[in-house]
Amino acid sequence: MDHYYRIKESFRDTEGRVRIRLMLAAGFLPELTTDEICDISRGLTYLLEQSGELPGQQHLFDHNSMKEMSEKVCRYVNSFWKEMKQKGTIDAARESYEEYCLHQSNLADWENL
């Protein structure tokens, strides 16, 4: 049985509730092993952290995990990254982060009155 893969991101909205955003519907990937799927996930996380798209985000991986990946996995990572950038889902992640930070600073200002 093949699995249908989606790349999702968890985030907090301005109310502080946890939400999930669909970044990319990757689809069925029967040509990939479970380890390759995990490597793709690590690669995309690495690219997001290194891109500076989410300022202040804690790094899950300290070294360049892309160097250890196969050429096949790197092709998928780069393809998925490019597609997410074109669709604007990476930009949406940044906007929700900035909106959350603004909301938190406004709450702090209100409490200081």
Side-chain angles (χ1 to χ4, degrees), residues 7-59:
I7 300 170
K8 299 187 237 178
E9 173 193 41
S10 297
F11 67 99
R12 292 193 181 272
D13 65 11
T14 57
E15 307 289 314
R17 291 180 295 216
V18 176
R19 302 285 186 190
I20 295 175
R21 171 186 297 110
L22 179 64
M23 302 287 283
L24 179 71
F28 295 102
L29 303 169
E31 67 279 7
L32 297 174
T33 66
T34 302
D35 288 341
E36 289 172 328
I37 295 290
C38 290
D39 285 347
I40 290 170
S41 175
R42 285 187 7 210
L44 290 170
T45 300
Y46 175 79
L47 288 178
L48 182 61
E49 290 175 347
Q50 299 306 312
S51 72
E53 296 290 349
L54 298 178
Q57 182 177 7
Q58 294 178 351
H59 294 275

Side-chain angles (χ1 to χ4, degrees), residues 32 35-47 61 63-78 80:
L32 297 174
D35 288 341
E36 289 172 328
I37 295 290
C38 290
D39 285 347
I40 290 170
S41 175
R42 285 187 7 210
L44 290 170
T45 300
Y46 175 79
L47 288 178
F61 306 109
H63 68 288
N64 184 350
S65 56
M66 298 283 287
K67 291 180 181 178
E68 301 167 4
M69 296 177 191
S70 70
E71 186 178 321
K72 175 182 174 182
V73 167
C74 288
R75 278 195 312 268
Y76 274 95
V77 169
N78 291 325
F80 290 159

